Amino acid sequence: MGFGQDVKKKAESIRTGAFKAGTHSGPSTPVGGMVASSGPMDDYGYHSEHPYDDNKIPASSPAPSMMSTKSGKLGFSGGHIKGKFSRGGGPISHQGHSPAPRPTSTYSGIGGGGSFSNLIHDDYRPLMDELKDIYRRKIRPLETTYNFEGFHSAPLSDSDIEAKPMVLLLGQYSTGKTTFIKHLTECEYPGSHIGVEPTTDRFVAVMNGVESRVIPGNAAAVTADLPFRGLNKFGQAFLTRFQVSQCASPMLENMTLIDTPGILAGNKQRIERGYDFTKTIEWFAERADLILLFFDSYKLDISDEFKSSIYALKGQEEKVRVILNKSDMVNQQQLMRVYGALMWSLGKVIQTPEVMRVYLGSFWINRPPNAFEDCRALLDAEQSDLIKDLRDLPRNAAIRKINEIVKRARHAKVHAYVIGHLKREMPAVFGKTTRQQELIRDLDKEFQKVQQIYSVPEGDFPNVDKFRQSLRAYKFENFSKIKEPILSVVEEALSVDLPKLMRRFPQGNPLLEQAQRNPFLMADHHNPTDLTEGGEIPPGYWHFASVDKARSTPIFRSLNPIDGKINGSTAKPYLLSTGFSMELLAKIWTLADWDANGYLDENEFAVAMHLVRAVENGGEGVLPDVLPRSMIPYPH
């Protein structure tokens, strides 16, 4: 799809009302499944008190009276709560007088719904160990023999291969990169600062840790279990502007976020950095699994340094996504024009035949009171798509590791052919300096010779100008000759070992046939359980805020979900233990599986258990025919 078609399609969606305005308004409106705290805000929409910080509210704070029933099983008229808001948009309540512990690896994110736990299945770990072994035995010797490091990048360490997926955030100052990280992690990482002026003056790797702390750049670059040893080549000027910030966040258990300095306009900023900003971006981009380019509705221009940074992403285009942040600061008509202007600006910089994926979003800590609401449904849908992209990242990253090793091995092979060819072209005794200068000058012709001799695809060769510049630092007579045993081992890794490893990767959840999507419709029926009716269910019960996830989450995890979901055959034994009839369980499953894909994620399972408790207290008649939208914790 071209740029014009994409702009026309998006504009038509907005103009014709394909996405209708949400019904909420004001600073206390749920934002994509979250509740924004009211209170004083600065001009940037930042609220000093974090709405999810358990330490802000004493554990002994009395809970509001909720959903009391005759039996007391459904609700609580007393007790205590811990925490201030739920991700679904209401108070979090627990039974009894002791606050239930919040699960440490559950994350709903901006859009709610889902968990980052169990995304990397245990089956991946032995495969990653085997990948490290293949690289160490068969590919790394080729790199060291032909000095691949001097022309491209240093050999990979085990920590590089084992590293969690990395998300690189790029953008001009005050486009919301740091706020986005705080929105995702639900915590403020050490050293972060948010404001309308340029505030982030360094590269920050935000990682998970048991406590909040900062690891300075020099220490991080020599720490064996961190994937940043390659940054040593940028020297002290960069390392003093780099740090690792650790904080306890479930989302960070399976990924690392890289916050970058806001990009400014003009040569002064580039000169005073003291290090090559573009080269640094290129280093992180090669290792990142996802690259997010940030714009906001009032900052669509692309400065010279930002343009250079985007050019440094060449070859990584499949990783790049664009976020148009603060989209609710313009109305619907203006948003259509802003989107078109952004696509026009990107089209002049990013030379790809396909349009880049752009997410419209509004990632505030607290939504400002002057935000427009006429495109709220559109923004919620876009934010849900982005969260799905992030949730899929850990699982896809394992396969991407193999893809990166394959790319690296192919480049190392071509590099070895070129170095060996230049060695062979050198005279034995006299005229070495002159011949070397000739080879460097005619390097493009030497590339063509190598291509013909070894049948190498033209796209596998490095940039001729950069390679020529690197060659000037070496004497060709010291290069290694072509060594067939080393090259044959690499070829074996590419043609046999790595494809075999790919075939052993666990498959995700397959698309189920319609008849398989409800496990209770396929079973033999028996007499329904005799249920007594007459119990009254309060209206507040049919809201996701009343779902007791603290009780259902441990049960869900005990069923060993794959990619954060369980299928009918996995859930069936547990649900049959309720003693309900097959017809009743089929109805509960249909209501809870609101996307009708035959699987329950953590939130859907929690709703299923919520419905089970409703039947236990009020009988089958209390179940609605259609699940109320208030029971779905995120836009769908």
Side-chain angles (χ1 to χ4, degrees):
M1 182 185 296
F3 283 102
Q5 291 174 298
D6 187 76
V7 173
K8 183 177 180 181
K9 182 179 178 181
K10 184 78 75 168
E12 184 68 17
S13 298
I14 297 175
R15 186 183 66 79
T16 58
F19 296 96
K20 296 187 178 178
T23 58
H24 304 291
S25 63
S28 297
T29 308
V31 183
M34 283 186 171
V35 171
S37 172
S38 60
M41 295 178 292
D42 61 20
D43 293 337
Y44 197 71
Y46 170 74
H47 192 278
S48 58
E49 181 181 4
H50 191 271
Y52 300 100
D53 190 347
D54 288 348
N55 297 321
K56 299 295 183 182
I57 297 182
S60 59
S61 300
S65 177
M66 293 180 60
M67 303 168 293
S68 68
T69 60
K70 293 180 180 180
S71 65
K73 291 183 181 179
L74 288 178
F76 334 98
S77 58
H80 298 76
I81 62 171
K82 187 176 183 180
K84 189 174 180 181
F85 293 98
S86 76
R87 297 179 179 95
I92 301 174
S93 297
H94 304 294
Q95 287 183 337
H97 293 272
S98 299
R102 188 173 61 181
T104 58
S105 56
T106 300
Y107 176 74
S108 296
I110 300 166
S115 170
F116 278 97
S117 62
N118 298 309
L119 288 181
I120 298 182
H121 196 269
D122 286 344
D123 290 345
Y124 285 87
R125 291 184 174 87
L127 298 179
M128 286 296 100
D129 290 338
E130 190 168 336
L131 179 61
K132 289 186 293 184
D133 183 64
I134 293 172
Y135 173 76
R136 192 185 305 117
R137 289 188 301 105
K138 297 190 174 184
I139 299 173
R140 182 166 179 162
L142 180 70
E143 296 180 8
T144 55
T145 300
Y146 295 97
N147 192 23
F148 187 74
E149 177 179 0
F151 294 81
H152 299 277
S153 59
L156 300 178
S157 63
D158 286 353
S159 59
D160 290 323
I161 299 176
E162 293 171 346
K164 298 174 184 177
M166 191 179 294
V167 180
L168 176 64
L169 280 62
L170 282 175
Q172 301 186 117
Y173 75 93
S174 192
T175 50
K177 299 185 298 297
T178 305
T179 304
F180 178 77
I181 292 177
K182 186 172 181 179
H183 207 148
L184 282 180
T185 61
E186 301 184 358
C187 67
E188 188 169 347
Y189 69 78
S192 66
H193 179 58
I194 298 174
V196 295
E197 76 283 2
T199 53
T200 302
D201 63 345
R202 60 187 62 227
F203 283 78
V204 183
V206 186
M207 307 182 74
N208 190 50
V210 293
E211 60 181 0
S212 296
R213 65 168 181 164
V214 171
I215 303 176
N218 283 283
V222 297
T223 303
D225 58 350
L226 292 178
F228 304 117
R229 303 184 76 173
L231 292 173
N232 281 302
K233 71 176 184 178
F234 296 109
Q236 287 295 311
F238 170 75
L239 292 177
T240 55
R241 291 294 179 184
F242 172 68
Q243 71 181 46
V244 174
S245 291
Q246 293 183 326
C247 58
S249 170
M251 194 276 296
L252 294 175
E253 290 178 5
N254 282 313
M255 70 178 64
T256 297
L257 302 175
I258 306 296
D259 198 4
T260 60
I263 299 175
L264 307 174
N267 288 327
K268 178 182 177 182
Q269 284 74 25
R270 282 189 282 182
I271 294 172
E272 292 188 351
R273 288 194 193 275
Y275 60 91
D276 193 326
F277 183 81
T278 304
K279 289 285 186 184
T280 309
I281 292 296
E282 189 174 346
W283 188 92
F284 279 106
E286 288 175 355
R287 289 153 180 80
D289 295 272
L290 187 66
I291 302 169
L292 300 179
L293 299 182
F294 275 78
F295 296 85
D296 72 31
S297 52
Y298 293 102
K299 280 194 178 67
L300 300 179
D301 58 310
I302 300 177
S303 66
D304 291 342
E305 191 174 34
F306 196 12
K307 185 183 298 183
S308 299
S309 300
I310 294 175
Y311 286 154
L313 305 179
K314 187 174 182 180
Q316 317 292 339
E317 288 84 1
E318 79 279 0
K319 305 177 184 178
V320 179
R321 306 289 186 272
V322 178
I323 294 180
L324 179 57
N325 198 13
K326 307 178 189 177
S327 294
D328 59 357
M329 300 310 293
V330 294
N331 62 31
Q332 187 180 75
Q333 184 181 28
Q334 292 169 332
L335 180 59
M336 179 178 65
R337 292 172 177 163
V338 167
Y339 181 84
L342 173 61
M343 302 304 289
W344 178 81
S345 297
L346 288 173
K348 295 176 66 178
V349 178
I350 301 174
Q351 305 298 324
T352 57
E354 293 295 328
V355 66
M356 209 164 265
R357 176 65 166 97
V358 178
Y359 294 103
L360 305 178
S362 181
F363 303 101
W364 301 99
I365 302 302
N366 291 283
R367 189 185 305 168
N370 60 333
F372 289 89
E373 298 297 324
D374 50 356
C375 284
R376 183 60 57 194
L378 167 63
L379 299 185
D380 287 346
E382 291 281 289
Q383 290 176 182
S384 293
D385 287 348
L386 175 57
I387 289 301
K388 183 179 183 300
D389 237 6
L390 291 172
R391 252 202 304 268
D392 290 343
L393 194 61
R395 177 169 55 86
N396 296 336
I399 298 176
R400 187 185 292 277
K401 296 287 186 186
I402 294 184
N403 181 62
E404 293 299 323
I405 294 292
V406 170
K407 284 171 57 178
R408 188 179 180 92
R410 289 172 64 92
H411 289 155
K413 268 184 62 180
V414 174
H415 176 80
Y417 288 145
V418 172
I419 294 298
H421 172 76
L422 295 176
K423 169 70 172 181
R424 189 171 57 243
E425 292 294 314
M426 290 295 290
V429 181
F430 301 108
K432 293 182 179 180
T433 302
T434 303
R435 181 55 177 157
Q436 176 168 329
Q437 292 174 352
E438 292 174 354
L439 290 172
I440 292 176
R441 184 191 62 208
D442 301 328
L443 187 60
D444 51 344
K445 297 179 181 177
E446 302 305 320
F447 276 8
Q448 292 176 359
K449 292 179 183 178
V450 172
Q451 182 180 359
Q452 293 171 357
I453 295 171
Y454 299 103
S455 301
V456 178
E458 183 179 355
D460 285 355
F461 283 88
N463 181 279
V464 66
D465 293 325
K466 290 183 178 180
F467 204 84
R468 181 184 287 119
Q469 186 65 31
S470 299
L471 283 173
R472 300 185 193 279
Y474 298 93
K475 291 185 177 181
F476 290 5
E477 66 263 27
N478 296 330
F479 286 164
S480 296
K481 298 179 180 179
I482 293 291
K483 298 179 180 179
E484 290 298 335
I486 296 180
L487 288 165
S488 62
V489 168
V490 173
E491 186 59 40
E492 182 184 15
L494 288 172
S495 60
V496 178
D497 298 333
L498 293 174
K500 185 187 297 183
L501 196 63
M502 277 294 297
R503 290 193 293 270
R504 290 173 50 202
F505 266 69
Q507 299 298 315
N509 294 314
L511 183 66
L512 298 179
E513 298 292 336
Q514 188 66 37
Q516 298 174 312
R517 295 185 180 182
N518 192 323
F520 302 100
L521 292 178
M522 300 300 296
D524 294 332
H525 295 166
H526 57 79
N527 293 330
T529 304
D530 185 17
L531 297 172
T532 60
E533 300 187 6
E536 296 181 359
I537 305 298
Y541 190 77
W542 304 114
H543 195 285
F544 190 79
S546 64
V547 174
D548 189 2
K549 286 191 66 176
R551 176 194 286 188
S552 64
T553 296
I555 300 172
F556 178 79
R557 291 179 185 164
S558 70
L559 298 176
N560 298 318
I562 298 175
D563 296 341
K565 297 179 180 180
I566 58 175
N567 58 26
S569 60
T570 301
K572 188 173 182 179
Y574 181 81
L575 293 176
L576 284 173
S577 68
T578 61
F580 291 172
S581 69
M582 299 300 268
E583 293 90 343
L584 181 54
L585 289 175
K587 183 175 183 179
I588 290 174
W589 182 278
T590 300
L591 291 172
D593 183 19
W594 54 70
D595 52 11
N597 64 353
Y599 296 93
L600 299 184
D601 64 20
E602 189 174 302
N603 283 334
E604 290 172 322
F605 182 79
V607 168
M609 299 307 298
H610 197 66
L611 298 175
V612 166
R613 285 191 285 277
V615 173
E616 289 175 345
N617 286 269
E620 183 177 350
V622 303
L623 291 180
D625 294 329
V626 178
L627 189 72
R629 292 191 61 83
S630 59
M631 289 295 293
I632 302 176
Y634 51 91
H636 184 76

